Amino acid sequence: MAVQYDLEGQKRAYAKWAPIYDKVYVKLLADAQRKAAAAAAACGPDILEVGVGTGLVLPYYPAGTRVTGIDLSFHMLQKAVEKKVERGLSQVGLLAAMDACNLGFADHSFNAITVPFVITLVPDPEGALDEMYRVLKPGGEIIVASKLGADEGPAMQIEQVLAPLVKKVGWSIAFKASRLRNWAAKYPDMAVVEISPVFPIGFFKLVRMKKAAA
């Protein structure tokens, strides 16, 4: 069955969030964003951020990197452009409106791809990851920061109890870390090299998936 996209509906939702997004999430997500940017920079200079939003992660990329950011929402991107200009973020290059499932870049364009808190919102996560794989250079990494549900054990039981509360703030435990492992397993040259908790401890996770060097 083909995936049904409501891109216009998503754009309208993001337009409403754009003015207040930073105030809500700037401190809550900072640890994960900082670690995602550092992991990406360790892979090489050319970095793609999928779901750049208002540009909260952009200041964490070090000088010497070359960061491209894409997002579905023009309203979010306007905030990201403002950050780039106001803070003099010379490491940030192109900021463009683009669908994660249809990336307008050549094969093997980036050393690393960061996906901060957006993979669970994409209508076709595996399709988006396929596109990221295509534009990722050999030896590079896809780095996902997100709320990922536990697959088993006490953590899963606690999350199930908290599920109704979590749902009220727009998060879900339905997207499991195993979904990323299963995606990576279909590519012989992709491997999950890290799944680690980031602040708040255990609630958000950082996942690094590495493409083998040529």
Side-chain angles (χ1 to χ4, degrees):
M1 180 182 295
V3 175
Q4 298 299 312
Y5 291 90
D6 181 16
L7 297 184
E8 293 306 316
Q10 285 186 317
K11 289 177 183 178
R12 288 192 296 270
Y14 294 147
K16 293 179 180 179
W17 266 104
I20 63 172
Y21 188 88
D22 285 16
K23 294 179 180 179
V24 175
Y25 289 114
V26 64
K27 292 184 179 179
L28 180 63
L29 307 183
D31 184 53
Q33 292 167 340
R34 187 183 300 108
K35 289 177 179 177
C43 296
D46 294 308
I47 300 169
L48 172 66
E49 184 175 322
V50 174
V52 69
T54 62
L56 284 178
V57 187
L58 296 180
Y60 295 126
Y61 294 108
T65 55
R66 296 184 291 268
V67 182
T68 299
I70 68 154
D71 201 276
L72 189 64
S73 169
F74 285 104
H75 293 83
M76 291 284 199
L77 284 167
Q78 286 175 342
K79 298 292 183 181
V81 171
E82 290 173 6
K83 282 188 181 68
K84 173 185 174 179
V85 174
E86 292 172 359
R87 303 189 188 186
L89 301 177
S90 59
Q91 71 272 40
V92 180
L94 175 68
L95 296 171
M98 197 176 295
D99 181 358
C101 292
N102 187 22
L103 298 176
F105 304 109
D107 295 356
H108 308 154
S109 293
F110 300 98
N111 298 108
I113 301 172
T114 53
V115 195
F117 300 97
V118 73
I119 195 67
T120 61
L121 304 176
V122 178
D124 181 12
E126 285 78 11
L129 289 165
D130 287 341
E131 272 290 87
M132 295 178 214
Y133 173 86
R134 178 182 66 79
V135 303
L136 183 66
K137 293 180 180 180
E141 293 185 11
I142 298 172
I143 300 151
V144 177
S146 188
K147 171 67 191 85
L148 299 173
D151 294 297
E152 58 186 13
M156 183 183 71
Q157 295 173 1
I158 293 171
E159 287 177 345
Q160 288 175 339
V161 172
L162 295 176
L165 177 62
V166 170
K167 187 176 181 181
K168 289 182 179 180
V169 297
W171 294 329
S172 170
I173 64 169
F175 198 109
K176 307 292 186 181
S178 59
R179 189 165 178 179
L180 295 177
R181 285 196 294 266
N182 291 340
W183 172 81
K186 76 177 187 177
Y187 288 101
D189 58 347
M190 286 296 295
V192 176
V193 295
E194 179 185 359
I195 299 179
S196 60
V198 288
F199 179 85
I201 298 300
F203 196 70
F204 299 136
K205 292 182 177 64
L206 188 75
V207 181
R208 293 171 47 226
M209 298 179 285
K210 187 176 182 66
K211 180 187 267 190

